[in-house]
């Protein structure tokens, strides 16, 4: 390139970078050392070629014989080593996503111009101290699993199932980073990944669980990076029909499970990739159509209903070389997702179902350019948009739009949660990032792969959070009949809740600016180091424009690897790292805003008893609500002060006394890996993590009061960062694979403990602040059994994934692949927890010795307070065992391979309960069981046997009683998936 054109190109890129973002998670690195007679050999030309790469990439070894090629598209590479007067050598190596592959060579003097071809050595998983696993689409296609990102994650060690998704190395399930083509695909509020991919378009996924480079931030769990296919110099594609039927699933052991519907469901996929200009411009396109039906069941009442999905996904991708060694990749994915009879939370009737649309789009534009033999520059701009359309109740009136909640269990009925006819909600993100990689080879201090860059990440959420169609909720007991009919019971424990939104939202704005540098330093054949640091700066504003966080943090990442014999076979790894997450949206960032947030008023119901025990005729929900609203209006309705039990005004009830800090975790890992021959490896890692800087809400005698526009006074809660909570993880992770010939086997195993008092995943959203004992109404709610230490929900002691397969060609018939996958997980913890009234504001439930009120208005205290009658995590769900089978037959017809796949899930029809009933009765949530109130500070509660009647409980002076089905399955959804068949047919070319 002439200097003038280089200057013009540099100016163009410098102008482009402000509109682009770092190409994170879209490439891999190839490195190695060239020697002759055991001595480093500088000046060797190293050329890499691959069907995944447009043209070739060339590097020259430095003074110590080393070279590096960062920013390579993942794929299989042929690497040619050449130096005049020496015999050329080629190596075959696989470069995996966001990992480092190694191809070394030893050149010898030879008069014969011959080329020696050698298969590459260690896989990327043992090449660096970083802990992770790479899963290709081809691997998923061989195994009896789904071909989704979740299926890939489930194979990795250090992963367990949390409350809402995967917990990685003990982190909350909302605190992982999921990337597709370098774009964050997490949903803003609960942090779960959206399905922004088409299965046959996925190339591979890498799961990082420890020792993670400073390139990555905004998490305390792990990083999951997925890349899709990119076309090539040959045309290729696929067509697939995934066929399922609810009737091909055996029934669970639940006695009331209805017969399954007998109807085929189809998910169609198609892909096509190729070239427009060879080695200059490639295209890739994919589509997915899902018109499927699933049979589901309501909880406890076990009423069957059909959930339908009509979803279309379309993906397009262009890869172009604009100048030699300078390329641009643009990808776009659009999802149109319509759902019939959808539901949210735990529902007990069909009236809670609704229809909604969930449109979702993803855009990424990436640049990759080699500016000098040692300098690579990358850039990327990305954006993701997601909306809820029609998500919730379709009624706004107080009869049909009021949500009903069963008080002992929190289960919902009568109408849908939220409002589907109010405003649509948007949860979007965009990012802007630039990255450079510089390779430095020195004669005495080894080689340095320096990665440096800056990233701007922004999340916005536009939401008017209506809690129901009418903005009212009723908490009451229920009378459930054998046919599944639900009748509300109104008495003096019934609560009327009003959640008005006084100011509409225009959106939150949460930005994080990250700057990082990371040095992968190879000192010699024995020692390698990872030295990195990341700096993240928060600039968070809520929907009112108020500052949530103006804080910053450094995240050091330090790693060392010792190659025992210097041959790459035996390596010892150790890492220390701190991971700092972003500021959470929802109940944290939005806690103090008025815009879009519901206020909360609660009244005690003191009207006529409805559907009391012994009633000769039961009133339906609409009839019962008519009586309730008639009484409520007669006592002044929303203006009533006599029966007002709590009032919390959005924008007034919470404040940020200062900038909150992002939660973080400190991690230490120690590992050992061994390369066995050319086709096998084993790796084990010990991981210890401790979290700090938890979100918390503080109300004590030093916090102020508020006064709203209605004349209501209230306690103000401060949203702060606190360290009185705990969360600790200890784990041993093991993984390995072996491919002897046509056979293949592998697996992962994790032993772990997750302990603490962090309740961040127990609230209505995944990021609800903790309410520490010493900070939140401590005189009333500071009793130890409200937030005890113990086993947290993600504590799964043992988790095993083991697979075994064999693929063989059979003359005339084609190729047959048979594989088995066995999964074992020990049970997850749960507790016996009920609600009490520790403030004594409900008649007849005050405990003896109630302290004098030090001046609280108790507007945020409520009258339902958790009490753990057991140790935290004392009980366990059933151990989980499952064996799955995959049989795939492929018949080649010229360049086309026609295939049929049969998948059998849970071959031996193992049955385990993974979602048991946890109902606990107390005086607070049941006045008919003879239970008494107690002082949570001084009394050791007495349990009444679950089979005892009210008279016996009263005679015992008992304080609590497990529900009659405690620890038992709630319904069909309580069991692991039973024996299930599914089939796939298609072709590839």
């Amino acid at each position: 390139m002439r200097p003038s054109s280089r200057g013009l190109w540099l100016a163009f890129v410098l102008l482009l970078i402000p509109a682009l973002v770092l190409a994170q998670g879209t490439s891999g690195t190839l490195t190695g050392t060239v020697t002759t007679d055991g001595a480093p050999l500088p000046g060797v030309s190293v050329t890499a070629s691959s069907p995944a790469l447009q043209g070739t990439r060339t590097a020259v070894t430095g003074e110590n014989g080393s070279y590096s090629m960062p920013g390579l598209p993942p794929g299989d590479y042929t690497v040619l080593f050449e130096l005049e007067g020496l015999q050329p050598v080629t190596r075959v190596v696989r470069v995996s996503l966001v990992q480092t592959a190694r191809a070394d060579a030893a050149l010898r003097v030879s008069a014969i111009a011959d080329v020696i071809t050698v298969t590459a050595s260690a896989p990327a998983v043992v090449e660096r101290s970083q802990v992770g696993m790479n899963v290709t689409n081809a691997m998923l296609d061989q195994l009896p699993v789904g071909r989704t990102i979740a299926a890939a994650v489930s194979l990795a060690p250090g992963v367990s199932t949390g409350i809402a998704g995967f917990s990685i190395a003990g982190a909350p399930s909302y605190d992982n980073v999921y990337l597709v083509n370098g774009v964050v695909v997490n949903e803003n509020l609960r942090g779960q990944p959206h399905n922004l991919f088409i299965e046959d378009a996925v190339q591979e996924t890498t799961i990082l669980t420890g020792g993670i480079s400073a390139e990555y931030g905004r998490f305390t769990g792990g990083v999951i990076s997925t890349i899709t296919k990119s076309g090539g110099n040959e045309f290729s594609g696929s067509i697939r029909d995934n066929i399922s039927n609810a009737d091909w699933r055996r029934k669970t052991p639940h006695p009331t499970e209805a017969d399954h519907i007998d109807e085929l469901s189809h998910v169609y996929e198609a892909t096509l990739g190729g070239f427009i200009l060879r080695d200059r411009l490639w295209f890739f396109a994919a589509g997915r159509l899902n018109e499927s039906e699933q049979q589901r069941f309501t909880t406890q009442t076990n009423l069957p209903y059909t959930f339908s999905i009509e979803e279309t996904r379309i993906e397009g991708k262009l890869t172009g070389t604009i100048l030699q060694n300078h390329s641009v990749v643009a990808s776009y994915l659009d999802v149109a997702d319509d759902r019939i009879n959808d539901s949210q939370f735990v529902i007990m009737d069909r009236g809670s179902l609704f229809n909604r649309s969930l449109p979702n789009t993803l855009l990424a534009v990436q640049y990759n350019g080699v500016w000098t033999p040692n300098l690579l520059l990358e850039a990327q701009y990305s954006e993701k948009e997601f909306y809820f359309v029609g998500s919730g109740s379709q009624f706004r009136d107080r009869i049909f739009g009021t949500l009903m909640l069963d008080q002992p269990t929190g289960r919902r009925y009568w109408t849908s949660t939220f409002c589907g006819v109010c405003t649509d909600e948007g949860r979007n993100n965009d990012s802007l990032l630039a990255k450079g990689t510089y390779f430095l080879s020195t004669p005495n201090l080894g080689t340095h792969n320096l990665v440096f860059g800056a990233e701007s990440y922004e999340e916005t959420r536009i939401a008017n959070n209506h809690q129901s169609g009418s903005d009212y909720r009723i908490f009451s007991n229920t009378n459930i009949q054998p046919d599944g009919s639900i009748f509300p019971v109104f008495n003096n424990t019934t609560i009327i809740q009003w959640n008005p939104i006084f100011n509409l939202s225009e959106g939150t704005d949460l930005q994080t600016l990250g700057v990082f540098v990371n040095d992968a330093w190879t000192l010699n054949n024995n020692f390698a180091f990872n030295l990195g640091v990341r700096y993240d700066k928060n600039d968070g504003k809520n929907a009112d424009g108020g500052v949530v966080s103006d804080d910053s943090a450094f995240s050091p990442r330090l790693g060392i690897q010792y190659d025992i014999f210097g041959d790459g076979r035996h390596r010892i790894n150790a890492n220390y790292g701190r991971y700092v997450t972003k500021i959470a949206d929802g109940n944290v960032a939005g806690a103090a805003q008025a815009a879009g947030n519901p206020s909360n008023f609660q009244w005690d119901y003191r009207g006529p008893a409805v559907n009391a025990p012994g009633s000769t005729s039961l009133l339906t929900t609409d009839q019962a609500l008519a009586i309730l609203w008639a009484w409520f209006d007669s006592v002044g309705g929303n203006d009533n002060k006599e029966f007002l039990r709590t009032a919390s005004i959005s924008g007034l009830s919470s404040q940020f006394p200062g900038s909150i800090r992002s939660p973080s975790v400190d991690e230490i890992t120690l590992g050992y890996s061994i390369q066995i021959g050319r086709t096998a490896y084993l790796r084990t890692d010990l991981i210890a993590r401790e979290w700090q800087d938890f979100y918390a809400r503080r109300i004590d005698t030093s916090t102020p009061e508020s006064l709203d526009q209605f004349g209501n006074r209230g306690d103000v809660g401060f949203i702060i960062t606190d360290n009185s909570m705990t969360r600790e993880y200890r784990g041993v992770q093991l993984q390995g694979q072996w491919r002897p010939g046509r056979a293949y086997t592998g697996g992962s195993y994790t032993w772990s403990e997750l302990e603490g008092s962090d309740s961040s995943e127990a609230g209505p959203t995944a990021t609800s602040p903790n309410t520490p004992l010493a900070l939140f109404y401590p005189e009333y709610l500071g009793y130890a059994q409200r937030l005890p230490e113990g086993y947290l929900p993600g504590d799964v002691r043992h988790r095993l994934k083991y697979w075994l397969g064999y693929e063989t060609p059979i003359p005339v018939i084609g190729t047959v692949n048979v594989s088995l996958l066995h999964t074992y997980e020990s049970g997850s913890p749960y507790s016996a927890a009920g609600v009490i009234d520790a403030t004594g504001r409900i008649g007849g439930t005050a405990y003896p010795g109630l302290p004098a009120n030090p001046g609280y208005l108790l507007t945020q205290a409520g009258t339902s307070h958790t009490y753990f009658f057991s140790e935290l995590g004392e009980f366990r769900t059933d151990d989980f065992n499952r064996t799955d089978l995959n049989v795939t037959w492929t018949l080649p017809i010229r360049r086309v391979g026609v295939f049929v796949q049969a998948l059998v899930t849970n071959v031996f029809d193992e049955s385990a309960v993974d979602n048991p009933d946890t109902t606990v009765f107390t005086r607070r949530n049941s006045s008919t069981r003879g239970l008494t109130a107690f002082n949570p500070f001084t009394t050791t509660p007495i349990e009444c046997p679950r089979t005892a009647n009210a008279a016996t409980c009263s005679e015992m002076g008992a304080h609590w009683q497990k529900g009659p089905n405690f620890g038992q399955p709630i319904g069909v959804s309580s069991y692991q998936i039973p024996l299930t068949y599914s089939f796939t047919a298609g072709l590839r070319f």
Side-chain angles (χ1 to χ4, degrees):
M1 183 182 292
R2 298 191 307 271
S4 58
S5 62
R6 181 182 291 272
L8 290 174
W9 178 235
L10 175 61
F12 171 72
V13 171
L14 290 175
L15 290 173
L16 192 65
I17 283 177
L20 296 177
V21 65
L22 169 77
Q24 258 185 338
T26 60
S27 62
T29 297
L30 175 64
T31 189
T33 301
V34 183
T35 60
T36 182
D37 295 327
L41 186 59
V44 176
S45 174
V46 184
T47 303
S49 59
S50 170
L53 179 68
Q54 291 181 343
T56 60
R57 280 278 297 275
T58 301
V60 178
T61 58
E63 293 183 62
N64 60 3
S66 297
Y67 71 95
S68 179
M69 293 184 190
L72 292 176
D76 295 321
Y77 281 78
T78 299
V79 187
L80 175 62
F81 301 87
E82 295 178 298
L83 184 64
E84 186 176 356
L86 299 180
Q87 187 177 23
V89 172
T90 65
R91 301 294 302 272
V92 178
V93 64
R94 173 164 182 79
V95 175
S96 297
L97 181 64
V98 301
Q99 293 190 337
T100 298
R102 174 171 289 274
D104 299 329
L107 273 59
R108 301 190 302 270
V109 177
S110 174
I112 303 175
D114 194 12
V115 176
I116 302 174
T117 301
V118 185
T119 302
S121 55
V125 71
V126 301
E127 185 61 38
R128 289 289 179 187
S129 61
Q130 186 167 258
V131 185
M133 185 176 187
N134 178 264
V135 181
T136 64
N137 178 272
M139 178 179 173
L140 290 180
D141 217 29
Q142 285 183 319
L143 297 178
V145 296
R147 293 165 296 115
T148 63
I149 295 173
V153 175
S154 71
L155 296 176
V159 176
S160 64
T161 303
I163 288 180
F166 291 117
S167 172
I168 294 181
S173 61
Y174 59 80
D175 214 9
N176 305 310
V177 171
Y178 290 84
L179 303 167
V180 174
N181 291 333
V183 184
V184 175
V185 295
N186 296 62
E187 181 271 328
N188 298 27
L189 192 59
R190 293 177 174 84
Q192 301 310 306
H194 283 141
N195 291 327
L196 284 162
F197 60 87
I198 296 166
E199 288 88 336
D200 259 7
V202 170
Q203 180 172 323
E204 61 186 270
T205 297
T206 294
I207 305 99
L208 304 178
T209 61
I212 301 173
S213 165
E215 295 178 60
Y216 300 97
R218 305 187 311 276
F219 68 93
T220 65
V223 176
I224 299 94
S225 184
T226 298
I227 190 169
T228 61
K229 298 174 183 178
S230 299
N233 285 329
E234 301 292 335
F235 290 100
S236 62
S238 64
I239 299 175
R240 178 190 293 259
D241 180 9
N242 306 283
I243 309 166
S244 60
N245 189 325
D247 198 42
W248 296 346
R249 173 179 295 190
R250 187 166 292 180
K251 289 185 179 181
T252 68
H254 202 275
T256 63
E257 181 172 355
D259 291 339
H260 298 173
I261 58 174
D262 184 5
E263 186 170 338
L264 293 178
S265 293
H266 298 267
V267 178
Y268 302 101
E269 299 172 53
T271 67
L272 178 63
F275 65 92
I276 299 173
L277 297 172
R278 286 184 182 273
D279 277 330
R280 300 289 292 182
L281 183 61
W282 294 348
F283 74 91
F284 183 81
R288 184 183 191 271
L289 174 62
N290 179 5
E291 295 181 338
S292 62
E293 295 184 345
Q294 302 173 16
Q295 187 164 30
R296 293 183 175 180
F297 298 85
T298 59
T299 299
Q300 190 171 346
T301 53
N302 292 308
L303 301 173
Y305 63 94
T306 301
F307 167 66
S308 301
I309 297 176
E310 297 178 6
E311 181 200 62
T312 302
R313 304 181 196 175
I314 299 175
E315 178 186 359
K317 194 172 187 180
L318 289 173
T319 303
T321 296
I322 48 181
L323 293 172
Q324 185 176 0
N325 292 329
H326 295 270
S327 63
V328 173
V329 179
S331 61
Y332 179 78
L333 191 141
D334 180 88
V335 178
D337 186 352
D338 298 320
R339 303 191 172 199
I340 312 300
N341 286 339
D342 206 349
S343 64
Q344 298 180 101
F345 304 98
V346 181
I347 65 169
M348 297 194 296
D349 71 340
R350 298 187 186 99
S352 300
L353 304 174
F354 57 90
N355 303 332
R356 64 172 171 175
S357 297
L358 303 172
N360 210 339
T361 61
L362 177 153
L363 170 68
V365 180
Q366 301 158 357
Y367 160 78
N368 177 310
V370 179
W371 285 82
T372 72
N374 294 335
L375 177 63
L376 173 79
L377 295 181
E378 299 173 82
Q380 178 175 299
Y381 170 76
S382 69
E383 64 179 36
K384 171 182 171 294
E385 294 186 349
F386 171 70
Y387 289 91
F388 293 94
V389 180
S391 185
S393 176
Q394 303 299 300
F395 305 99
R396 294 287 283 159
D397 65 283
R398 288 194 307 181
I399 297 294
F400 295 100
T402 294
L403 179 66
M404 305 294 295
L405 292 100
D406 179 60
Q407 205 162 40
T409 65
R411 298 166 192 159
R412 305 171 186 222
Y413 65 102
W414 184 243
T415 193
S416 307
T417 303
F418 306 129
C419 178
V421 291
C422 299
T423 55
D424 299 335
E425 179 174 350
R427 300 179 183 179
N428 309 319
N429 74 61
D430 60 72
S431 57
L432 185 68
L433 195 150
K435 171 185 172 183
T437 304
Y438 186 77
F439 178 69
L440 177 64
S441 177
T442 67
N444 298 319
L445 293 178
T447 62
H448 300 262
N449 273 290
L450 290 166
V451 179
F452 51 91
E455 175 185 19
S456 174
Y457 177 78
E458 181 177 14
E459 280 188 349
T460 59
R461 184 169 73 98
I462 302 175
N464 293 300
N465 190 18
H466 295 274
Q467 296 297 288
S468 67
S470 68
D471 291 331
Y472 287 94
R473 294 181 170 195
I474 307 298
F475 298 80
S476 70
N477 295 324
T478 54
N479 182 327
I480 300 176
Q481 298 294 299
D483 65 353
S485 299
I486 305 173
F487 299 92
V489 177
F490 295 159
N491 53 34
N492 66 356
T493 67
T494 300
I495 299 169
I496 302 170
Q497 179 171 301
W498 181 41
N499 299 117
I501 297 176
F502 296 121
N503 299 298
L504 297 181
S505 171
E506 294 186 2
T508 59
D509 185 8
L510 303 178
Q511 298 184 34
T512 301
L513 174 64
V515 180
F516 61 87
V517 60
N518 201 90
D519 181 13
W521 172 24
T522 301
L523 179 61
N524 51 42
N525 289 339
N526 298 102
F527 284 99
F529 304 89
N530 184 78
L531 307 174
V533 64
R534 183 182 179 93
Y535 171 80
D536 287 296
K537 176 71 171 65
N538 292 319
D539 182 15
K541 294 181 174 62
N542 62 23
D544 294 332
V547 174
V548 171
S549 181
D550 183 12
D551 189 59
S552 61
F554 285 95
S555 307
R557 314 284 171 87
L558 307 173
I560 182 172
Q561 183 178 75
Y562 177 63
D563 190 326
I564 298 175
F565 301 108
D567 60 0
R569 296 292 178 178
H570 301 267
R571 292 182 170 100
I572 297 174
N573 311 289
N575 295 283
Y576 164 76
R578 169 168 288 190
Y579 309 129
V580 180
T581 190
K582 61 183 178 62
I583 297 297
D585 207 335
N587 282 0
V588 176
Q593 70 186 38
N597 270 357
S599 296
N600 184 57
F601 299 85
Q602 288 187 346
W603 292 268
D604 292 318
Y605 176 71
R606 292 294 180 264
V610 175
N611 294 333
S615 299
T616 56
S617 60
L618 297 175
L619 298 180
T620 59
T621 302
D622 55 334
Q623 294 169 333
L625 283 173
I627 294 173
L628 180 144
W629 292 126
W631 171 82
F632 186 63
D633 292 339
S634 73
V635 296
N638 295 337
D639 296 325
N640 177 274
K641 297 293 192 296
E642 179 182 0
F643 304 114
L644 183 68
R645 66 205 303 266
T646 181
S648 176
I649 309 299
S650 63
L652 295 178
S653 59
S654 297
Q655 293 180 11
F656 288 92
S659 174
I660 58 173
R661 298 188 301 274
S662 296
S664 62
V665 62
D666 287 330
E667 174 192 83
I668 296 175
T669 75
L670 178 64
Y672 167 74
S673 60
I674 178 174
Q675 173 73 17
I676 306 170
R678 297 188 181 277
T679 61
Y681 76 88
L682 286 172
R683 175 167 181 156
T684 183
D685 294 278
L686 285 69
I687 297 184
R689 287 183 168 188
E690 293 188 7
W691 278 256
Q692 54 269 327
D693 294 336
F694 299 90
Y695 303 124
R697 185 183 296 272
R698 177 179 143 223
I699 297 178
D700 56 26
T701 54
S702 69
T703 52
E705 295 182 0
S706 65
L707 179 67
D708 67 27
Q709 61 267 44
F710 305 103
N712 298 309
R713 295 163 55 223
D715 300 312
V716 172
F718 282 172
I719 306 300
I720 62 172
T721 307
D722 173 69
N723 279 305
S724 61
M725 310 300 294
T726 59
R727 188 182 189 100
E728 297 181 357
Y729 173 85
R730 302 290 183 267
V732 179
Q733 302 178 11
L734 177 67
Q735 61 174 303
Q737 294 188 45
W738 181 36
R739 298 191 70 94
R742 296 190 180 99
Y744 52 93
T745 185
S748 64
Y749 167 77
T750 305
W751 175 93
S752 64
E753 283 187 342
L754 178 62
E755 298 178 280
S757 58
D758 177 28
S759 62
S760 60
E761 287 194 279
T765 67
T767 53
S768 294
N770 287 289
T771 53
L773 301 180
L775 299 182
F776 190 74
Y777 293 113
E779 294 83 357
Y780 288 108
L781 305 181
Y783 54 91
Q785 289 305 107
R786 185 170 67 82
L787 287 172
E789 297 264 352
Y791 295 116
L792 297 175
D795 178 73
V796 177
R797 198 57 39 81
H798 304 278
R799 184 177 184 274
L800 170 71
K801 289 276 187 176
Y802 175 72
W803 57 88
L804 175 66
Y806 189 79
E807 186 173 67
T808 182
I810 301 175
V812 181
I813 295 178
T815 301
V816 175
N817 173 79
V818 180
S819 64
L820 289 168
L821 171 66
H822 184 76
T823 301
Y824 168 76
E825 291 185 11
S826 55
S828 301
Y830 64 98
S831 311
V835 293
I836 64 172
D837 174 21
T839 62
R841 289 188 290 155
I842 293 183
T845 66
Y847 58 76
L850 183 69
N853 191 332
Y856 298 122
L857 298 171
L858 298 177
T859 50
Q860 294 195 52
T863 57
S864 297
H865 313 117
T866 302
Y867 189 100
F868 283 85
F869 294 97
S870 69
E871 294 182 3
L872 183 63
E874 178 177 332
F875 305 97
R876 294 272 168 172
T877 61
D878 292 343
D879 290 351
F880 178 99
N881 271 291
R882 193 176 87 191
T883 302
D884 303 329
L885 169 67
N886 169 50
V887 180
T888 303
W889 166 64
T890 303
L891 177 64
I893 304 175
R894 295 189 177 182
R895 290 192 63 238
V896 177
V898 179
F899 68 92
V900 177
Q901 181 182 50
L903 179 64
V904 185
T905 303
N906 198 357
V907 172
F908 302 107
D909 201 23
E910 296 280 350
S911 179
V913 176
D914 55 12
N915 182 26
D917 186 284
T918 58
T919 301
V920 168
F921 293 109
T922 65
R923 174 73 178 179
R924 176 64 188 84
N925 63 16
S926 178
S927 60
T928 63
R929 295 181 176 269
L931 303 170
T932 60
F934 63 96
N935 187 329
F937 288 94
T938 61
T939 304
T940 300
I942 299 171
E943 179 183 4
C944 184
R946 74 175 69 186
T947 56
N949 57 28
T952 301
C953 293
S954 178
E955 184 178 345
M956 293 176 58
H959 305 105
W960 69 287
Q961 184 181 35
K962 294 189 184 80
N965 297 314
F966 184 90
Q968 302 301 311
I970 301 170
V972 175
S973 59
S974 295
Y975 297 89
Q976 73 178 81
I977 183 173
L979 173 65
T980 303
Y981 303 93
S982 61
F983 299 91
T984 298
L987 57 87
R988 304 184 185 97
F989 61 91

